[in-house]
Amino acid sequence: MTPLLKVEGLGKFYGRHLGCADISFTLWPGEVMGIVGESGSGKSTLLNCLAGHMPPDTGRVMFDTRDQGLRDTLEMSEPERRWLARTDWAFVHQNPRDGLRMNVSAGGNVGDRLMAVGARHYGDIRRQASDWLGRVEIDAGRIDERPRAFSGGMQQRLQIARNLVTGPRLVFMDEPTGGLDVSVQARLLDLLRGLVRHFGLSAVIVTHDLAVVRLLADRLMVMKDGHVVEEGLTDQVLDDPQDAYTQLLVSSVLQV
């Protein structure tokens, strides 16, 4: 089996400050990788380098393209990377306002991504938008309302619908439950778990919340000061952490 994503020696520096260094891992089709660590650990820098939001200084990010197999995304042309971001990749921001067009209706937000990949029939676009609102538990009767009229949890679910409507194979998620009330987080996690399983999605999820990766991630990487200090199956890492820093993270959650 060909890996969907293969990362080799990825590194990023901000002047003399280390963002992340020597990151290597393989992500298989249908697999979810969680990345955890405290603020400043380098996990968000890594995610943004993987998703093409910032260029790394070292390493390669290989993706299994539909027509040419594994290719280094860093060597793709800008139009190729934009097309990849509209089709096979998706990015769910922590703040849904960063991933939505707040002055466009809910249906327009979902339809916007469809139009970006060539859809033009208004009726078909609206039907797909309505279907996806239902999939993320938003009343289809609110299709013409703007996101600013929605709660934070609904905005996040709308952002998920906008991202998944084109059938991406890889989803990057940056603290997808951050800033939400506990009850809203639980509902969103149940929704994400169902969508990941139903569509066989691969995902890379960055979070500081170990409960999120416990529920969603097959494998886990723990980062500290820009480096991966531990990696393995999620349950193994959380139930029997080997690195002292991972032990501290797990114990701090248990003590709360």
Side-chain angles (χ1 to χ4, degrees):
M1 180 186 296
T2 302
L4 186 66
L5 188 72
K6 188 174 183 180
V7 181
E8 299 176 343
L10 201 69
K12 178 67 178 179
F13 297 85
Y14 302 100
R16 294 183 178 180
H17 176 70
L18 172 65
C20 62
D22 197 27
I23 308 296
S24 299
F25 68 90
T26 299
L27 185 73
W28 300 95
E31 186 178 38
V32 177
M33 171 71 80
I35 304 173
V36 299
E38 297 174 308
S39 296
S41 63
K43 59 187 188 296
S44 291
T45 293
L46 172 58
L47 189 72
N48 282 306
C49 287
L50 295 175
H53 293 174
M54 65 171 64
D57 295 309
T58 62
R60 300 197 301 171
V61 179
M62 310 290 291
F63 180 72
D64 184 24
T65 61
R66 293 177 186 265
D67 54 351
Q68 298 182 49
L70 279 173
R71 289 189 60 195
D72 188 351
T73 62
L74 304 177
E75 295 182 353
M76 290 181 177
S77 66
E78 185 60 29
E80 286 179 313
R81 284 196 294 268
R82 285 200 301 267
W83 182 251
L84 191 63
R86 293 170 180 169
T87 54
D88 276 346
W89 285 10
F91 195 100
V92 176
H93 296 265
Q94 176 179 358
N95 186 342
R97 291 173 175 265
D98 293 333
L100 295 172
R101 297 177 63 190
M102 299 303 292
N103 292 321
V104 175
S105 69
N109 266 281
V110 179
D112 188 50
R113 186 165 166 108
L114 288 169
M115 293 180 67
V117 297
R120 291 294 180 266
H121 190 281
Y122 175 78
D124 289 342
I125 293 172
R126 189 172 176 86
R127 277 192 293 273
Q128 288 190 64
S130 178
D131 174 65
W132 267 97
L133 290 182
R135 288 178 185 268
V136 298
E137 302 173 1
I138 295 176
D139 184 353
R142 305 190 69 174
I143 190 170
D144 294 316
E145 294 185 31
R146 295 181 181 181
R148 64 165 58 97
F150 294 173
S151 67
M154 288 179 66
Q155 289 178 0
Q156 191 63 293
R157 298 201 304 275
L158 177 60
Q159 185 190 186
I160 291 168
R162 174 183 169 93
N163 274 281
L164 298 189
V165 68
T166 53
R169 292 187 291 152
L170 175 59
V171 183
F172 301 101
M173 301 186 192
D174 186 9
E175 300 278 6
T177 62
L180 300 176
D181 293 338
V182 174
S183 61
V184 178
Q185 287 183 18
R187 182 179 179 185
L188 183 62
L189 283 172
D190 283 342
L191 174 66
L192 284 172
R193 181 171 60 174
L195 291 171
V196 165
R197 290 179 175 177
H198 180 76
F199 292 103
L201 295 172
S202 296
V204 178
I205 302 176
V206 159
T207 182
H208 68 279
D209 190 339
L210 299 186
V212 171
V213 291
R214 171 80 79 175
L215 188 66
L216 296 178
D218 302 299
R219 285 194 294 135
L220 184 62
M221 291 198 309
V222 181
M223 293 190 67
K224 180 179 186 293
D225 298 331
H227 296 275
V228 174
V229 297
E230 189 161 354
E231 179 182 357
L233 296 176
T234 300
D235 287 344
Q236 289 181 349
V237 172
L238 295 182
D239 293 339
D240 187 23
Q242 300 300 303
D243 184 82
Y245 176 71
T246 310
Q247 293 170 1
L248 181 63
L249 281 181
V250 173
S251 64
S252 66
V253 172
L254 294 176
Q255 291 171 7
V256 172

